[in-house]
Amino acid sequence: MSSSHASSNAPVPALAPAPPAVDTTAATTTTNTAPQDVPTHGQPAPPIVALADTSSSHPQVQTLDESSQTQTQPQTHGEPTLAEAQAAHDATVIGQNLEPDSNHSDTDSAFGSDGNSSSSTSLASSIMNYEYSNGRRYHGYRSGAYPLPNDDEEQDRLDLLHHIFLLMLGGKLSNVPFTRPPQRVLDIGTGTGIWAIDYADENPEASILGTDLSPIQPTWVPPNAKFYIDDAESDWVYQPDEHFDYIHVRGMSGSIGDWDRLCAQAYAHTVPGGWVEFQEPEAWVRSDDDTITQAENIQLWQQLVNDAADVFKKEIRIADTLKQKMENAGFVDVSERIVKVPVGPWPKDAKMKEIGRYQREHMAMGIEPYTFGFIGKILGWSEQECKVIIAKVINEVRDRNLHLYIQFFFVVGRKPGDATY
């Protein structure tokens, strides 16, 4: 996708330039090492950022300083009304902008130095018949439908991303303003199943269904969680009595060819009054102080990945379009909220420094699979060419003089309570 991609977002608040400092840590180009002490799934995390309500035509991106944190809680007796829950959900907390830290030390690190689908698809031999390329393992079911690997290294990256989402949401798994707990939940593109397992643990009365192209979910799961091999792009065949109170979609950019159809199918298979939530990072690295202009390899790389996604007919930079797509599908009470996630521990704020440190490791882990999957497989680059740009991009990801960030979008919408289908 072109770098001139249209966006409905207003300019993000400018960040103050960082004072010059000496970088005493050498960049790493050959090894992608995940944090050593990443908390296990489901571990609560402290609030990191206020998700600014951007339902208006001019959304703003806001971050939260702990000293300015406030929260609006409706005073109710018994079950809150939808209006009260929505008001609490949309409460805006205004804090200071991210400010670069002149101290580049990492010593305070928290983690150390195309047929019809079926609602239940059996594990046929084709599903377990994985494909291998460039030393990575890829799914066999619907081969080629998803360009990223499903091996242990990729699963570690996905689980680290899950932790980053927990940090952004203050330990919560959802940003939906439920008035009562959902009973039937669908997790599309469940991956390792970590979100579905956490949600099942926290909601033992609910029934959680996770679907994915790869059977990489664990065997031992909560009794109220089930996983099926399914393609979200195929026709959904859930019967009316199987419709869902809540459908969760996260990190599916580059996996879906027709997002309007996905929204329409989600709408059709949600019960009246039920909710659908998208949690998607924008596939575009930014900066507020123009340090992105110094990251020439990152700029080239992200443009190539988006170009490959266009050729693949599965856009990767779609996060800022989801609000309109949900409204077009018929959802109401649609809310879009945006979180700025730094790449690296460059912010002065301690909490944002922590989340940035995790995001830096997550992005470094993701450069290789996205390069081989999109630039290599789709654009035809050789393995050696891919390795060269991988090393250059990871070098810039670890450069503390670059104040980069990625916007994460949280979009929720409700099916009208009087809907007839």
Side-chain angles (χ1 to χ4, degrees):
M1 181 172 294
S2 170
S3 61
S4 61
H5 171 83
S7 172
S8 62
N9 300 329
V12 295
L15 299 183
V22 178
D23 188 352
T24 59
T25 305
T28 302
T29 61
T30 59
T31 303
N32 299 341
T33 304
Q36 298 174 358
D37 298 327
V38 175
T40 57
H41 70 268
Q43 180 175 339
I48 295 298
V49 64
L51 303 180
D53 187 1
T54 58
S55 301
S56 67
S57 59
H58 299 286
Q60 293 183 344
V61 181
Q62 298 169 327
T63 57
L64 175 62
D65 176 66
E66 183 177 20
S67 62
S68 64
Q69 181 176 1
T70 59
Q71 184 174 5
T72 302
Q73 287 287 355
Q75 300 298 318
T76 61
H77 298 281
E79 184 176 289
T81 65
L82 174 61
E84 291 169 334
Q86 188 73 45
H89 173 267
D90 289 342
T92 300
V93 182
I94 300 176
Q96 66 182 28
N97 295 333
L98 290 178
E99 182 179 354
D101 189 0
S102 59
N103 180 6
H104 286 169
S105 172
D106 262 350
T107 56
D108 62 342
S109 169
F111 45 82
S113 37
D114 155 25
N116 290 333
S117 111
S118 169
S119 57
S120 176
T121 301
S122 62
L123 286 176
S125 59
S126 62
I127 295 175
M128 302 301 297
N129 187 22
Y130 297 125
E131 299 178 357
Y132 295 84
S133 176
N134 301 313
R136 303 300 297 266
R137 188 189 72 188
Y138 297 82
H139 70 95
Y141 178 63
R142 301 280 172 90
S143 176
Y146 181 64
L148 300 183
N150 66 359
D151 51 21
D152 290 345
E153 186 176 348
E154 178 69 1
Q155 293 177 45
D156 288 342
R157 182 184 72 84
L158 295 175
D159 286 350
L160 176 57
L161 179 60
H162 176 72
H163 177 65
I164 292 171
F165 272 103
L166 287 178
L167 290 175
M168 284 187 283
L169 293 176
K172 298 189 303 179
L173 294 167
S174 172
N175 198 44
V176 174
F178 294 114
T179 57
R180 56 182 178 274
Q183 297 302 301
R184 279 185 55 80
V185 178
L186 174 63
D187 182 27
I188 297 176
T190 193
T192 65
I194 190 170
W195 184 92
I197 292 171
D198 278 3
Y199 203 91
D201 281 336
E202 292 187 7
N203 300 272
E205 301 302 320
S207 175
I208 319 299
L209 172 62
T211 64
D212 202 277
L213 291 174
S214 293
I216 58 175
Q217 301 77 35
T219 302
W220 294 95
V221 299
N224 57 327
K226 296 181 179 179
F227 299 105
Y228 293 127
I229 306 305
D230 198 8
D231 186 352
E233 294 193 282
S234 298
D235 292 336
W236 296 12
V237 295
Y238 304 105
Q239 299 302 310
D241 62 347
E242 298 176 317
H243 286 182
F244 301 94
D245 302 294
Y246 172 38
I247 297 178
H248 173 262
V249 187
R250 186 176 76 180
M252 292 293 283
S253 301
S255 306
I256 302 297
D258 189 343
W259 285 86
D260 291 307
R261 183 169 183 265
L262 178 66
C263 288
Q265 292 212 93
Y267 181 93
H269 290 84
T270 303
V271 300
W275 292 85
V276 172
E277 178 176 23
F278 290 96
Q279 300 181 359
E280 288 292 332
E282 181 186 38
W284 203 255
V285 181
R286 303 171 178 269
S287 73
D288 287 334
D289 57 2
D290 292 330
T291 52
I292 183 64
T293 60
Q294 304 172 31
E296 296 180 356
N297 294 293
I298 288 179
Q299 292 184 86
L300 172 62
W301 178 82
Q302 67 181 3
Q303 186 63 62
L304 288 169
V305 171
N306 278 271
D307 289 345
D310 286 347
V311 173
F312 191 47
K313 304 300 182 184
K314 294 186 177 182
E315 292 184 56
I316 195 171
R317 194 179 175 193
I318 52 82
D320 64 335
T321 71
L322 294 174
K323 179 176 183 289
Q324 186 62 54
K325 292 182 185 301
M326 291 193 73
E327 292 174 343
N328 293 345
F331 291 98
V332 297
D333 299 328
V334 180
S335 173
E336 176 191 73
R337 295 180 171 206
I338 306 169
V339 180
K340 271 196 314 193
V341 177
V343 179
W346 57 265
K348 180 176 293 186
D349 179 80
K351 292 181 178 179
M352 297 309 295
K353 184 186 294 290
E354 178 190 9
I355 196 172
R357 195 175 283 116
Y358 281 109
Q359 176 61 17
R360 179 185 61 187
E361 299 307 319
H362 168 259
M363 186 170 177
M365 294 171 72
I367 299 301
E368 181 185 282
Y370 274 86
T371 302
F372 283 135
F374 285 91
I375 300 175
K377 284 187 175 182
I378 299 171
L379 296 186
W381 283 38
S382 69
E383 180 177 356
Q384 186 59 35
E385 289 173 322
C386 287
K387 288 182 176 179
V388 169
I389 195 171
I390 288 169
K392 290 180 178 180
V393 173
I394 291 178
N395 249 342
E396 292 180 348
V397 167
R398 297 190 181 282
D399 187 343
R400 294 181 181 84
N401 293 313
L402 304 179
H403 305 143
L404 311 178
Y405 66 86
I406 297 174
Q407 295 185 146
F408 281 61
F409 286 69
F410 296 80
V411 187
V412 301
R414 182 177 61 87
K415 185 172 182 176
D418 58 355
T420 58
Y421 71 96

